[in-house]
Amino acid sequence: MVVALLPMSVWANEGEDNKELDIPEIVLEHLADSYEWHIASYQGSHISIPLPIIVRSENTGEWHFCTAHSLPEPFFFSEEHHGKIYERVGGEEVRPLDLSITKSVLQIWIVVAVLIIIFLSCARWYKKHDAKSEAPKGFVGAMEMIVMTIHDDLIKSSIGEKHYKPYAPYLLTVFFFILTCNLIGLIPVFPGGANVTGNINITFFLAICTMLAINLFANKEYWKEIFWPEVPLFLKAYPAPVMPLIELFGVFTKPFALMIRLFANMMAGHAVILSFTCVIFLGWSMGVGFGLGLNAFSIIMLLFMNALELLVAFVQAYVFTMLSAVFIGLAHKEHHAE
């Protein structure tokens, strides 16, 4: 790991130390993805981990490998596009092919490594012991309890005993991935603190995976309910196919609801915690009296919000998995004759 101690002039305009604390800017900067992992600031300098930037020039077709502090011309970080890398080609600003290892990407790799270590260690216990005659204890026992709870009480009951088995590995993976991302995101220092599940690109991908699982393997009853539902003829055919259009629209609104629910809840939690943290520094800038009062208020609210976020981390993983299982179960419902 390489830690770079960077001068203040690289990151801020001259005289920035004298300006007022900009809470919205600090919050948005944390919530956004970045090409480096900021650790801390010390004596006017920033300690950060530079991440590899991999971009392909739209002008020459050449690949460039660098960091945020050695980005060559004509590439630049566009403030208008939330710090993304752009390229100047013929007087125009274009978006090059960007395969960089950003903060969110590195956080996902860390989460994947944590999950692999956890489940391989659990698998090693089951390999050495007879699970039918000996119950696991400690951490392995806790993991078995969580897995069986999600598997039996959520996935199996929501999808149905006939169809749940092909979807159980995917839904269990989604649950533990979201839960681990949420918990590691609450750690204020490296290797935590990244806002993965508060990134709409991540929740969009998860929602697309659920949408494919729902629609690619749905039975004929599911599609019959969409294109020819059991409603009066004038609602599904004449003068316009009102109900089929509504049902078809629902195919896309279900994953959209999954995406927005997870994204909004996790982003809001990070924003509130950061805002209360900034209030501490804002209070001291207003004087000792305000500092002491706002410090006490902010510390109490920070403890409360962090405890609440621990609960929300589990609840959001559970809700996303539950709704995915329910939607998949609706795609496998059987025809009930009158």
Side-chain angles (χ1 to χ4, degrees):
M1 179 185 302
V2 181
V3 179
L5 187 62
L6 304 174
M8 195 69 173
S9 59
V10 173
W11 306 96
N13 296 326
E14 185 177 358
E16 185 178 1
D17 294 338
N18 298 324
K19 74 174 186 179
E20 296 182 357
L21 184 67
D22 191 344
I23 295 179
E25 180 181 353
I26 294 174
V27 172
L28 292 175
E29 182 180 354
H30 171 80
L31 296 178
D33 200 2
S34 63
Y35 293 94
E36 63 183 6
W37 199 306
H38 182 263
I39 305 297
S41 297
Y42 179 71
Q43 293 184 351
S45 299
H46 290 280
I47 303 174
S48 64
I49 301 174
L51 301 177
I53 292 177
I54 307 171
V55 291
R56 180 180 181 274
S57 174
E58 292 294 321
N59 185 26
T60 62
E62 296 180 356
W63 288 94
H64 296 267
F65 302 87
C66 58
T67 64
H69 319 297
S70 59
L71 189 67
E73 290 288 343
F75 301 104
F76 66 98
F77 296 104
S78 175
E79 296 182 0
E80 298 178 357
H81 299 90
H82 309 288
K84 297 296 183 181
I85 294 178
Y86 272 73
E87 181 184 7
R88 294 184 179 90
V89 178
E92 297 182 357
E93 298 179 0
V94 297
R95 183 86 163 98
L97 179 60
D98 190 353
L99 302 180
S100 303
I101 309 302
T102 62
K103 183 178 179 181
S104 294
V105 173
L106 182 58
Q107 182 74 94
I108 291 174
W109 288 1
I110 292 172
V111 169
V112 170
V114 170
L115 289 176
I116 290 175
I117 292 171
I118 289 175
F119 286 106
L120 286 182
S121 63
C122 293
R124 189 178 300 111
W125 186 94
Y126 285 100
K127 187 177 181 180
K128 296 179 179 179
H129 300 79
D130 184 6
K132 295 182 179 180
S133 60
E134 182 180 358
K137 299 179 182 179
F139 179 76
V140 178
M143 289 301 300
E144 179 180 308
M145 179 193 67
I146 297 174
V147 169
M148 296 310 297
T149 298
I150 301 301
H151 182 273
D152 294 343
D153 298 339
L154 193 155
I155 299 173
K156 189 175 180 179
S157 61
S158 298
I159 299 178
E161 192 168 351
K162 291 183 179 180
H163 308 288
Y164 80 93
K165 289 185 179 180
Y167 302 99
Y170 163 69
L171 293 173
L172 283 169
T173 301
V174 167
F175 173 80
F176 282 104
F177 174 77
I178 295 175
L179 178 62
T180 308
C181 284
N182 293 346
L183 293 177
I184 293 181
L186 293 176
I187 302 174
V189 295
F190 182 85
N195 185 37
V196 174
T197 46
N199 187 324
I200 198 167
N201 296 306
I202 306 301
T203 58
F204 172 76
F205 176 77
L206 295 175
I208 288 294
C209 291
T210 297
M211 180 180 176
L212 294 176
I214 295 170
N215 296 284
L216 290 182
F217 308 102
N219 61 14
K220 62 181 181 180
E221 285 295 323
Y222 171 77
W223 295 110
K224 178 180 177 297
E225 288 294 325
I226 291 177
F227 294 107
W228 199 254
E230 296 181 0
V231 295
L233 184 62
F234 72 90
L235 288 177
K236 60 184 177 183
Y238 180 82
V242 177
M243 288 303 298
L245 288 176
I246 294 175
E247 292 293 337
L248 185 61
F249 185 68
V251 171
F252 302 97
T253 56
K254 290 174 183 176
F256 179 79
L258 286 175
M259 175 185 70
I260 296 299
R261 183 190 300 272
L262 179 60
F263 159 71
N265 279 279
M266 300 315 301
M267 183 189 68
H270 279 256
V272 170
I273 290 176
L274 282 169
S275 298
F276 280 121
T277 305
C278 292
V279 166
I280 297 176
F281 300 96
L282 180 63
W284 284 111
S285 66
M286 298 169 63
V288 177
F290 283 103
L292 293 175
L294 289 176
N295 267 13
F297 172 76
S298 297
I299 290 173
I300 293 173
M301 292 304 299
L302 278 174
L303 293 175
F304 171 76
M305 285 302 304
N306 276 281
L308 183 62
E309 280 295 297
L310 287 175
L311 176 62
V312 171
F314 177 83
V315 169
Q316 290 303 317
Y318 187 90
V319 168
F320 190 98
T321 308
M322 179 188 67
L323 291 178
S324 297
V326 169
F327 294 153
I328 292 173
L330 292 174
H332 291 278
K333 60 184 178 180
E334 302 296 335
H335 176 70
H336 297 284
E338 294 183 1

